[in-house]
Amino acid sequence: MCVFCKIVSGEIPSVKVYEDEGFLAFMDIGPVNKGHVLVIPKKHAETFVDLTEEEAAELFKRVNRIAKAVKLGLGADGLNIIINVGKASGQEVFHVHTHIIPRFENDGMKFGWRKLSYNDNEMEEYAERIRKAITPNDD
Ligand code: 5GP
Ligand code: ZN
């Protein structure tokens, strides 16, 4: 059983902020900022792209609700809402989870964004590869 399934089952303790039949939100043990929450489906799936469109929509209903609570409850100036998908993205726990990270003006946190540029027709070529791969909702 994965570590988040163990949290769902109660085998590993966690500090919960929200729970319903299918979803759980609990405090991240190593917060980027204090108040960092993880929202998960109770049913095990490895990554976000393993969810159906319907399951993803249900997850995001909870993410929206908890995000408002983190912002209001902690008086955060902003939030980062992040899902890592796969090892290459930095995912370490292979049970789908959405990070909700409270952000404060001048909190000293900087994500390592960079800004590349495209040459010639490259942007259109990338867009076309993505467009061609979009499948209809087959939930
Ligand atoms: P990832 O890199 O997979 O997107 O993020 C995994 C997150 O899970 C990390 O932020 C890490 O601190 C958190 N985490 C890992 N193990 C545990 C645990 O046993 N309990 C809790 N509450 N959080 C955990
Ligand atoms: Zn799991």
Side-chain angles (χ1 to χ4, degrees):
M1 214 194 292
C2 91
V3 60
F4 287 176
C5 281
K6 285 182 182 165
I7 282 177
V8 170
S9 74
E11 199 176 317
I12 291 179
S14 68
V15 175
K16 298 173 186 173
V17 295
Y18 174 86
E19 183 167 16
D20 62 35
E21 204 174 285
F23 297 86
L24 179 64
F26 58 97
M27 305 301 282
D28 193 296
I29 205 167
V32 169
N33 269 336
K34 290 177 183 174
H36 179 165
V37 169
L38 302 173
V39 187
I40 66 168
K42 289 184 174 175
K43 187 179 145 204
H44 181 86
E46 284 197 0
T47 81
F48 184 71
V49 295
D50 296 314
L51 300 180
T52 64
E53 199 166 287
E54 188 55 41
E55 287 168 340
E58 288 299 318
L59 173 61
F60 265 77
K61 281 189 198 172
R62 277 68 176 189
V63 169
N64 182 266
R65 202 181 307 167
I66 307 304
K68 289 168 182 166
V70 170
K71 188 158 187 298
L72 184 68
L74 302 181
D77 299 313
L79 303 167
N80 289 112
I81 298 175
I82 298 173
I83 302 180
N84 294 323
V85 179
K87 188 165 161 284
S89 75
Q91 185 176 0
E92 289 178 353
V93 175
F94 285 83
H95 179 132
V96 192
H97 54 279
T98 306
H99 296 264
I100 301 176
I101 303 166
R103 296 301 306 272
F104 302 90
E105 297 295 343
N106 305 313
D107 63 14
M109 175 61 203
K110 260 243 172 263
F111 286 98
W113 290 109
R114 61 180 179 184
K115 289 188 194 289
L116 303 177
S117 55
Y118 293 101
N119 46 44
D120 306 323
N121 204 35
E122 227 180 357
M123 186 191 279
E124 180 53 42
E125 284 163 14
Y126 273 79
E128 188 55 18
R129 285 166 61 192
I130 296 166
R131 286 185 205 114
K132 279 191 182 143
I134 293 175
T135 52
N137 175 16
D138 56 1
D139 283 2

